Amino acid sequence: MSISPAREPGEPERPSEPSPQPPSGDPTLSGTPTPSGPPDPLTGPPDPSGVPAPSGSLEPYGLPNPFGIPAPYGSPNPYAPYAPPTPTNPFAIASLITGILCCLPGVGLLLGLVALLQIRKRGQRGRAVAVVGSALSGGGLALAVLLVTTGATGWMWQGVKDGVRENVNLSLAKGDCFDSVGGDLGGAVHDIRTVPCEGAHEGEVFATFTLKDGPYPGDDTVTAAAERCVGLLDAYAMDAWALPDDVDVFHLSPSRGTWSLGDRGVTCVLGSTTEGRTLTGSLRADETTLDAHQVAYLKGAHVLNTALESEPDTELVEDDLPGHNAWARRVSTALATWSHTLRTHPWPAAAGAPMADLAARLDKARPLWDKAARATDADAFYVSYDAAFTLLDQDADIPARKSLKLATIPPGSGAQEPGDDAADEEAEV
């Protein structure tokens, strides 16, 4: 018995659809013919269901490209889960940097060991980096221990100090001529190199001495101590008349930086006060370059010049009359000493008469200086002083100098004699 669906009155009866029957000989499919022949190269293998795919339908994602175009090499699956790259251990990087820079080798070795432990526990990258950094730091640590235990650091540091000191002024000796980078003795002097005195040069060393050891005393103290150079000039350049007018006294003295390296030396230098001007030929005039007669004459002149330069600093005599009395007494004593030398030294025949004339002038000037030394007021001092000073005119020395073949041109009005304010120039290194 079968039940048919209800139909409306008057609607024709629909025939029932026959059930599909499988064809004989095919145990798998019923009513569907098996396709035969090769697959279409454009459409791919036929659908086993026998129903063609609708036109324009999309292929499921992941099926091969029907046109045979391969996918980009190595392209990731966009739907695969993202896995971040394994990080490099930061201690390994720090160990390598410390080892390359050779700074704090012990710290670099410790960082490398910490990095290796963390890499093993955390599975991080950087094992090779940590090993290299540890090796470099370990080598640096071993070298440092070797230097300390053998005392090599001491003599290496001493070598550095000696090199700095030699580059500053200790390589310069009395009589050396030199040039330096910058070419200005009034400023910072460095990279000094000695040159022959016969040619052009920047400076000539006339004396050296050493300051007292101890903590750095300060720039002002060093400068004041270095002014001793002024008093040492006469022993090297005995004839002040032979010095060019623009030549003055400078000194190379320690700075705070070089003092910490053991520099205590002061080098006294003759140089030009004219910017960019150099010296030519040596200015040395002492027992090594002068004969005995010239030395005797210049020593006597030096005694008198030293006494004359010891005048009190007060502008007026009445401001310090006792000081001026004492000064006049020193000049009188110096005149007596030089006059005795002029009369007793065995001068050459050509120099006998000029020396006798000069001694006579000194003998005339001496009583006037004695009177100034006993003056009880400024007016009396000036009367004696004016008369005495005219007898010490430099032109009166020219005949005696000429007889000994010394310089015969008095220093010009622009000459800077030792003791002037301009002689306090400093070149700091």
Side-chain angles (χ1 to χ4, degrees):
M1 179 179 180
S2 63
I3 300 177
S4 299
R7 55 185 179 86
E8 296 294 333
E11 181 181 359
E13 183 178 357
R14 291 177 298 178
S16 60
E17 296 179 0
S19 299
Q21 298 294 327
S24 61
D26 190 344
T28 58
L29 299 176
S30 59
T32 303
T34 302
S36 61
D40 193 319
L42 296 179
T43 62
D47 191 332
S49 66
V51 180
S55 176
S57 62
L58 298 177
E59 294 179 343
Y61 183 84
L63 292 180
N65 191 326
F67 298 99
I69 303 176
Y73 179 79
S75 59
N77 187 339
Y79 296 100
Y82 173 75
T86 304
T88 301
N89 187 274
F91 287 98
I93 299 175
S95 174
L96 179 61
I97 294 175
T98 306
I100 293 176
L101 298 179
C102 296
C103 61
L104 303 176
V107 175
L109 179 59
L110 179 60
L111 292 174
L113 296 177
V114 172
L116 291 174
L117 292 176
Q118 291 188 354
I119 289 171
R120 177 179 298 179
K121 293 180 179 180
R122 302 176 183 177
Q124 295 175 319
R125 297 187 301 169
R127 182 183 302 277
V129 175
V131 170
V132 174
S134 299
L136 292 175
S137 297
L141 180 60
L143 179 60
V145 172
L146 178 63
L147 293 176
V148 172
T149 55
T150 59
T153 53
W155 59 259
M156 289 176 63
W157 178 243
Q158 185 62 40
V160 172
K161 294 193 295 183
D162 292 344
V164 172
R165 297 178 71 186
E166 288 179 2
N167 187 48
V168 175
N169 57 24
L170 292 187
S171 62
L172 296 175
K174 182 178 179 179
D176 286 345
C177 297
F178 67 90
D179 286 329
S180 68
V181 174
D184 183 12
L185 292 176
V189 175
H190 52 92
D191 291 341
I192 294 174
R193 60 185 183 279
T194 57
V195 297
C197 292
E198 291 75 14
H201 53 275
E202 180 184 345
E204 180 175 353
V205 179
F206 66 86
T208 61
F209 60 91
T210 303
L211 299 178
K212 185 179 179 181
D213 202 2
Y216 185 67
D219 295 342
D220 294 340
T221 302
V222 171
T223 300
E227 290 177 358
R228 176 184 168 192
C229 287
V230 176
L232 299 175
L233 177 60
D234 286 327
Y236 184 83
M238 298 180 66
D239 189 3
W241 289 32
L243 293 176
D245 290 346
D246 66 335
V247 169
D248 203 354
V249 174
F250 298 83
H251 54 82
L252 309 180
S253 58
S255 64
R256 183 179 296 275
T258 61
W259 187 280
S260 63
L261 297 175
D263 181 22
R264 303 292 185 272
V266 175
T267 303
C268 305
V269 177
L270 286 172
S272 176
T273 58
T274 303
E275 183 177 359
R277 181 175 295 181
T278 57
L279 308 179
T280 302
S282 176
L283 298 174
R284 188 167 192 166
D286 57 10
E287 289 86 347
T288 64
T289 61
L290 302 173
D291 60 39
H293 304 300
Q294 293 171 328
V295 171
Y297 176 88
L298 293 174
K299 283 185 176 180
H302 174 67
V303 171
L304 178 58
N305 289 335
T306 301
L308 291 172
E309 291 169 1
S310 65
E311 181 180 5
D313 293 333
T314 56
E315 183 177 357
L316 302 175
V317 174
E318 50 266 32
D319 294 336
D320 185 13
L321 180 59
H324 282 81
N325 292 145
W327 171 56
R329 194 173 297 109
R330 291 192 295 271
V331 174
S332 175
T333 302
L335 289 171
T337 301
W338 193 16
S339 177
H340 177 76
T341 300
L342 293 173
R343 294 183 182 278
T344 58
H345 183 82
W347 303 107
M355 296 301 173
D357 292 341
L358 180 56
R361 293 176 64 87
L362 298 180
D363 290 340
K364 290 181 180 179
R366 184 182 176 188
L368 296 174
W369 284 99
D370 287 337
K371 189 175 182 180
R374 298 189 301 268
T376 57
D377 57 66
D379 293 336
F381 182 90
Y382 279 124
V383 170
S384 300
Y385 167 81
D386 292 339
F389 208 82
T390 57
L391 295 173
L392 301 182
D393 186 13
Q394 290 181 328
D395 291 339
D397 297 348
I398 294 178
R401 283 177 159 272
K402 188 174 181 179
S403 67
L404 298 178
K405 297 181 181 179
L406 293 172
T408 56
I409 300 177
S413 58
Q416 294 171 347
E417 297 291 342
D420 290 349
D421 292 339
D424 294 336
E425 299 288 345
E426 176 188 5
E428 183 181 276
V429 290

